Amino acid sequence: MSVPIPAATLVLFRETGGAAPELLFVERSRAMVFAGGALVFPGGRVDPGDRALALEFVGDPDDLAARIAAIRETVEEVGIAVGLSAMPAETLQRLRAALHDGVAFGAALRDLSLTLDPAALVAFARWLPAHAASRIFDTRFYLARLPADSAAAVVDATENVRTFWATAQSVLDDADAGRATIIFPTRRNLERLAQFADFDAAVTDANARPIRTVTPWTETRDGREHLCIPDDLGYPVTAEPMSAAVRG
């Protein structure tokens, strides 16, 4: 099996006045090797700059680096700042442009006099597949509420081709109807997220459960091979026939 690549993703909530909360999705370019054409949350791999920034904070450096990566990737991919000091739209545009130009996140923050708050994110889950593939991602999932007066999400048009807000259940319904593609970890996390009436309920559940790495396995049930996950981590569906599972 390949050496796992540390990665992070951010589930961003937008409250809708009593209805189910909407989550921010991006659609991956079909040309991408990993999850091409799939709907995912903003995120990506943890880079050395994220690890360097993590050393400026007290706590688990791996968790901090992943939080920082999730914050950075959300700026890069959709132009929304979470876990950063308040800034005018022009400053956010400059930050995003600097990241797209390859400027290290820490250097860009210093240049623009911005501060970082990794604690603004809530740890939700960690997934590490064990299947044979050229790339295996060790992905930490975090939750955050859309900041007030946040900029509109704008796709980066490189790795992703579309960004939109939708409820967890509506994306599951689209996938079931063949109108969308979601990979196995995204589906399981959407089923879990669809249980929550609002952001606070999701945070309460996340804080009540330990973050234990989810590594799916295969087993035969009723004569069919299934892809399975543990049944004690809050996921309402813990097995899916291999014939139906979509893997990255």
Side-chain angles (χ1 to χ4, degrees), residues 70-95:
I71 292 169
R72 174 183 53 76
E73 288 281 350
T74 301
V75 173
E76 290 183 11
E77 293 188 354
V78 298
I80 292 180
V82 178
L84 293 169
S85 51
M87 70 188 85
E90 179 184 356
T91 301
L92 177 56
Q93 291 169 4
R94 290 174 60 192
L95 174 60

Side-chain angles (χ1 to χ4, degrees), residues 11-71:
V11 182
L12 196 56
F13 280 66
R14 182 171 74 175
E15 305 290 4
T16 57
E22 293 179 332
L23 312 177
L24 184 63
F25 294 87
V26 293
E27 181 180 340
R28 301 270 292 170
S29 167
R30 294 189 179 278
M32 298 303 295
V33 173
F34 176 78
L39 302 183
V40 298
F41 305 113
R45 67 178 64 199
V46 177
D47 69 22
D50 303 324
R51 294 194 175 281
L53 268 176
L55 298 178
E56 299 179 9
F57 298 88
V58 176
D60 176 0
D62 292 331
D63 172 60
L64 285 165
R67 289 169 181 268
I68 292 167
I71 292 169

